Amino acid sequence: MLAVSLEGVQSLGPTTAVSIVDASLLEERNIHYESNNRRDGLWKPLVGQRDMRWPILLEQVSQTKRHYGTQSSGSTGLVEDFRRYITPYMQLSRIEKPIGTWLLAWPCFWSIGLAAPHGGPIDVYTLGLFGMGAILLRGSGCTVNDMWDSDFDKKVERTASRPLAAGTVTHGQALAWLGLQLSAGLGILLQLNETSQLLGVASLPFVIAYPLMKRITGWPQAFLGLTINWGAFMGWAAVHGSCSWDIVGPLYASGVFWTLVYDTIYAHQDTRDDVKAGVKSTALTFGERTKPMLWGFAACNIASMAAAGVMAECHGPFFIGMTAAAAQLAWQIQTVNLTNPEDCARKFKSNWWYGCSIFAGIVADKLLS
């Protein structure tokens, strides 16, 4: 028997039963069920094989809901239906994985912080605008990435469940969702000054082109660095109406080198699947030389960040924050197991602390100077 046991589910009680069968609806249709030999009669899903019994599962879900009289109705049913409808779009934008948004937002926040006057507060309103913009731009970038890479994603275990690869969203629907996100992002961009608006528009070709880089170069992470750290320019311009290139230039370079560190570690999760799919990355380009390359990028990152701090006339608190960030980066490189995808993911996510350390140093420097 290759289906969810109706009797086993119902024996768990109405709330748990309905939760289980509702969760079943959210699983991809390419699922194979095998027994886990438990007394509750449930079955464990294994992604990767097509289950031709999807109609049977749907019927069992319907039977269980009828058994408990929990058919969707009224406001509760509308909320549940909306949740099921919107979930694939949230997954397209990676809302459930906020680290990517933080990695986009930190360079913006650093720049806004450095642009603040010594002894004065940092513009919280501008921080909020850039925070919202980071959510929307990151979501747009992920949507574009999935539209370009849906065929590749089907061949990589970690990405096979993404909505376009799994078929839960069509390309037309993804395009409409992209338009909605870009429109909302435009609304935020129009709140900024003209220089910031022009810089924001100038970043879009990078956002659109980035997914193509993994097809044509072994250094797609470098192109990502050029794209995701654009906020180093925009944050300063949003405060002053222009860019002080002697400050934002090194700040931008620092972000690019930082990206080369964390995204190379991230890419090591997929090296085997990337080879099969024909996808390029710095993880594959560097191979056994990855850690020496990461140490080099880290050194360039810290040197560039220090240069930005000196040019911005920062003091002790900034450099204390920078030292903490350097230690965090060194810890990542020294301890990461590049052959362990789970450890690579943990180290990648830990970069929140790097960004936070830099920002905390900037805030302290501005308030205490």
Side-chain angles (χ1 to χ4, degrees):
M1 179 178 179
L2 295 176
V4 177
S5 170
L6 182 59
E7 294 77 8
V9 170
Q10 290 176 344
S11 68
L12 297 176
T15 302
T16 305
V18 173
S19 297
I20 290 173
V21 295
D22 280 351
S24 298
L25 282 174
L26 296 178
E27 295 291 339
E28 301 169 35
R29 297 188 183 191
N30 295 342
I31 290 178
H32 173 67
Y33 290 90
E34 74 169 10
S35 174
N36 63 7
N37 295 321
R38 294 178 181 176
R39 288 184 297 175
D40 58 13
L42 298 177
W43 301 85
K44 180 174 66 176
L46 295 177
V47 176
Q49 303 181 38
R50 181 168 296 277
D51 180 12
M52 302 305 294
R53 295 166 177 79
W54 181 251
I56 298 176
L57 176 59
L58 291 178
E59 177 60 25
Q60 290 182 325
V61 168
S62 178
Q63 289 180 32
T64 301
K65 286 194 170 185
R66 287 197 298 270
H67 178 79
Y68 293 111
T70 58
Q71 295 93 331
S72 293
S73 62
S75 59
T76 302
L78 290 175
V79 170
E80 185 67 16
D81 289 344
F82 177 76
R83 182 185 65 81
R84 290 174 180 167
Y85 176 81
I86 201 64
T87 294
Y89 297 99
M90 295 296 99
Q91 292 172 340
L92 266 181
S93 299
R94 311 286 199 278
I95 295 297
E96 78 283 7
K97 298 177 180 179
I99 181 59
T101 300
W102 280 110
L103 296 176
L104 177 60
W106 282 129
C108 306
F109 292 172
W110 301 339
S111 187
I112 294 168
L114 288 174
H118 287 287
I122 295 176
D123 189 341
V124 176
Y125 176 72
T126 302
L127 286 175
L129 287 177
F130 274 81
M132 290 298 300
I135 293 172
L136 292 166
L137 184 60
R138 192 266 182 132
S140 299
C142 290
T143 302
V144 170
N145 183 80
D146 286 6
M147 292 174 70
W148 280 115
D149 287 353
S150 58
D151 289 338
F152 283 138
D153 287 344
K154 295 174 184 177
K155 303 174 184 178
V156 178
E157 181 179 359
R158 184 178 57 83
T159 61
S161 62
R162 289 177 177 174
L164 280 168
T168 55
V169 170
T170 68
H171 275 75
Q173 291 170 326
L175 182 61
W177 178 242
L178 174 63
L180 182 62
Q181 293 175 96
L182 290 176
S183 297
L186 177 61
I188 292 177
L189 186 64
L190 292 176
Q191 307 303 309
L192 305 177
N193 58 47
E194 184 177 352
T195 302
S196 301
Q197 292 173 11
L198 292 174
L199 285 169
V201 172
S203 71
L204 291 179
F206 289 89
V207 174
I208 295 171
Y210 161 66
L212 294 174
M213 294 300 109
K214 65 189 71 175
R215 295 168 168 79
I216 62 178
T217 177
W219 288 73
Q221 280 68 27
F223 197 86
L224 175 64
L226 297 175
T227 305
I228 201 171
N229 292 285
W230 200 260
F233 301 138
M234 291 185 62
W236 187 282
V239 176
H240 291 293
S242 62
C243 284
S244 295
W245 298 106
D246 57 336
I247 298 174
V248 299
L251 184 66
Y252 179 66
S254 177
V256 173
F257 288 119
W258 178 42
T259 303
L260 278 165
V261 173
Y262 67 67
D263 209 54
T264 297
I265 292 174
Y266 183 83
H268 269 275
Q269 296 178 91
D270 302 323
T271 50
R272 292 183 180 180
D273 288 334
D274 284 350
V275 169
K276 296 176 183 178
V279 175
K280 300 178 181 179
S281 71
T282 48
L284 293 175
T285 299
F286 301 155
E288 296 296 324
R289 298 180 296 116
T290 290
K291 285 210 173 184
M293 295 296 292
L294 294 182
W295 283 115
F297 295 144
C300 292
N301 160 260
I302 297 303
S304 299
M305 185 64 73
V310 170
M311 298 308 297
E313 300 181 350
C314 292
H315 302 90
F318 170 83
F319 292 101
I320 292 174
M322 190 191 73
T323 301
Q328 200 281 334
L329 206 60
W331 167 79
Q332 286 186 60
I333 298 171
Q334 180 65 33
T335 63
V336 66
N337 181 353
L338 295 173
T339 63
N340 185 326
E342 290 77 17
D343 191 46
C344 290
R346 283 192 295 270
K347 297 302 191 296
F348 171 75
K349 293 176 183 177
S350 76
N351 280 278
W352 185 89
W353 291 103
Y354 173 95
C356 183
S357 298
I358 297 291
F359 187 63
I362 293 171
V363 172
D365 188 79
K366 295 297 180 179
L367 293 178
L368 299 177
S369 296

